[in-house]
Amino acid sequence: MTTHHKQTISLTVDAVVFALHEGELRLLLIRRNHAPFQGQWAIPGGFVKSEESLEDAARRELFEETGVQDIHLEQIHTFGTPDRDPRGRVVSVAYVAIL
């Protein structure tokens, strides 16, 4: 007999944004506003809302956290290691952009 247990999986997006600044390649980071890791540097991103696409979520999070908008985002990788986030099972889809 197989035992099933309910597992909650959250879905997030991240926007890895690079820019050339004074001849050097820079990575856009934000300070986290919420636990866990509040106050630490992070790549912009957050949870996907049930009514939005992954790319729309990435664009929304990027704009809300940095004010950056109207850039080309390219999906690059999905991260899904079970214990990667202390809040529980979180799968993250990463996007990249170059300014």
Side-chain angles (χ1 to χ4, degrees):
M1 182 170 156
T2 304
T3 303
H4 296 282
H5 66 280
K6 185 176 181 177
Q7 179 184 24
T8 301
I9 299 175
S10 297
L11 180 60
T12 63
V13 289
D14 295 304
V16 181
V17 180
F18 293 99
L20 279 176
H21 180 74
E22 298 179 356
E24 293 185 1
L25 188 61
R26 303 282 177 101
L27 175 63
L28 179 62
L29 298 174
I30 57 142
R31 288 249 188 212
R32 290 183 59 110
N33 289 326
H34 307 287
F37 313 116
Q38 184 173 5
Q40 294 186 8
W41 291 108
I43 292 168
F47 291 94
V48 177
K49 295 179 181 179
S50 61
E51 71 278 0
E52 64 189 349
S53 70
L54 295 174
E55 186 172 333
D56 287 346
R59 290 184 181 288
R60 176 185 52 78
E61 285 289 340
L62 183 60
F63 178 71
E64 287 177 359
E65 294 180 344
T66 69
V68 172
Q69 60 184 351
D70 299 326
I71 62 171
H72 176 75
L73 292 173
E74 188 75 30
Q75 191 178 119
I76 57 167
H77 192 74
T78 301
F79 299 90
T81 303
D83 59 354
R84 61 179 292 278
D85 192 306
R87 296 169 291 191
R89 182 70 195 266
V90 178
V91 175
S92 293
V93 179
Y95 287 80
V96 68
I98 300 174
L99 298 178

